[in-house]
Amino acid sequence: MSQPKYKRILLKLSGEALSGADKKQVIDFDILQQFAKEVKTIVDAGVQVAVVIGGGNIFRGASVEKSGIDRVQGDHMGMLATVINSMAIQSSLEKFGMVTRLLSAIKMEQVAEPMIRRRAVRHLEKGRIVIFGAGTGNPYFTTDSAGALRAIEINADAVLKGTRVDGIYTADPEKDPNATRYEKISYDEALSKNLKIMDLTAFALCKENNLPIIVFDMNKPGNLLRLINGESVGTLVTNE
Ligand code: UDP
């Protein structure tokens, strides 16, 4: 088998993706299984995989500020929500025979190991999937920032942002039928065109540390493996 193009990746999934297209459930277990099957294809190809999942299907700090929950409290609630999603994805990966470890940025020893970078890297070297829960552990950040930060910390080759659309478009493809997909784009061009790939903090971290971002459709079976094998799937954001 040919060598995968990316040997160590961080997969960023949104929490909202877990609730499915109709958003009827908090966690749609069919979607979880689908994600796990996709991840297995790249683990079997020898890729070291870390995962960060958001919490938007359960709780977002900023969106409850109006209702009287202060921002910091809300953000902590959001971070705990990511731990719930992380535990769900952990179970589903394990069900498919993968070995996983959940590391949390907020200490909760009964359910997760504390986030220790060297430990995370050691797990990856041993072929275990590392799930980073509780975001960065700090309010006023997002899980995109957590994804970028952890990817840099573990020296990942790229951060893979799984979305519902198959890359970055000149306009919103769900609204504009003439929108076309970028196969490749530079950080600077994405910034100047105000293409919202990640929030600015996350984006700046990637740019400053030369961490490639790949935006791709996680719902299309086989995409993740094709991407890992170097096929042009989604949009690649780099310095060039
Ligand atoms: N959050 C935070 N710090 C972090 C990561 C997340 O405070 O480092 C909180 C924040 O309130 C955020 C929520 O957790 O709204 C859920 O994460 P996010 O919105 O990134 O989830 P996603 O949109 O990917 O589902």
Side-chain angles (χ1 to χ4, degrees):
M1 213 195 311
S2 62
Q3 283 293 314
K5 179 173 177 195
Y6 302 101
K7 294 187 179 59
R8 179 178 292 171
I9 58 106
L10 187 133
L11 178 62
K12 164 70 207 327
L13 301 170
S14 85
E16 257 172 17
L18 281 192
S19 56
D22 53 12
K23 299 201 167 28
K24 281 205 179 114
Q25 305 175 61
V26 176
I27 297 176
D28 179 324
F29 290 92
D30 291 338
I31 291 187
L32 263 188
Q33 289 210 7
Q34 182 56 30
F35 283 171
K37 281 187 199 157
E38 292 302 303
V39 171
K40 185 157 177 19
T41 62
I42 63 167
V43 170
D44 288 347
V47 179
Q48 296 180 5
V49 180
V51 179
V52 166
I53 185 148
N57 54 325
I58 303 173
F59 205 86
R60 276 214 176 87
S63 56
V64 295
E65 245 185 323
K66 291 184 272 340
S67 59
I69 294 179
D70 86 34
R71 174 66 191 263
V72 175
Q73 181 87 336
D75 280 345
H76 277 107
M77 292 166 77
M79 285 185 264
L80 295 182
T82 73
V83 177
I84 293 177
N85 286 338
S86 298
M87 290 170 75
I89 213 154
Q90 177 173 41
S91 292
S92 145
L93 293 168
E94 285 179 345
K95 200 173 147 209
F96 284 89
M98 288 167 271
V99 182
T100 69
R101 292 291 187 272
L102 171 58
L103 273 60
S104 173
I106 294 175
K107 268 200 199 162
M108 45 180 93
E109 281 157 33
Q110 282 79 1
V111 293
E113 295 179 12
M115 164 56 201
I116 297 170
R117 187 185 68 88
R118 283 194 175 80
R119 195 180 269 192
V121 170
R122 185 80 186 118
H123 288 321
L124 290 167
E125 286 168 352
K126 287 193 166 177
R128 298 169 182 149
I129 299 174
V130 173
I131 305 157
F132 292 111
T136 62
N138 296 295
Y140 298 102
F141 286 91
T142 62
T143 48
D144 274 356
S145 296
L149 174 65
R150 298 300 180 225
I152 296 160
E153 283 185 279
I154 62 169
N155 233 327
D157 300 321
V159 53
L160 275 44
K161 187 170 155 115
T163 62
R164 286 180 301 148
V165 285
D166 63 344
I168 300 160
Y169 277 73
T170 47
D172 184 346
E174 288 176 353
K175 288 179 193 143
D176 182 348
N178 296 320
T180 52
R181 174 172 69 95
Y182 292 101
E183 202 167 304
K184 232 178 142 179
I185 191 166
S186 69
Y187 300 114
D188 289 335
E189 200 182 343
L191 275 177
S192 71
K193 294 208 158 88
N194 203 20
L195 302 170
K196 294 193 173 62
I197 298 165
M198 288 179 160
D199 61 84
L200 279 178
T201 311
F203 199 78
L205 267 175
C206 295
K207 177 170 148 61
E208 272 172 25
N209 293 282
N210 252 321
L211 173 71
I213 307 167
I214 303 161
V215 181
F216 74 106
D217 183 356
M218 182 68 189
N219 297 325
K220 194 164 165 211
N223 251 0
L224 190 55
L225 185 61
R226 279 198 288 278
L227 191 166
I228 288 295
N229 285 331
E231 284 181 43
S232 169
V233 170
T235 300
L236 172 66
V237 193
T238 60
N239 253 338
E240 288 151 38

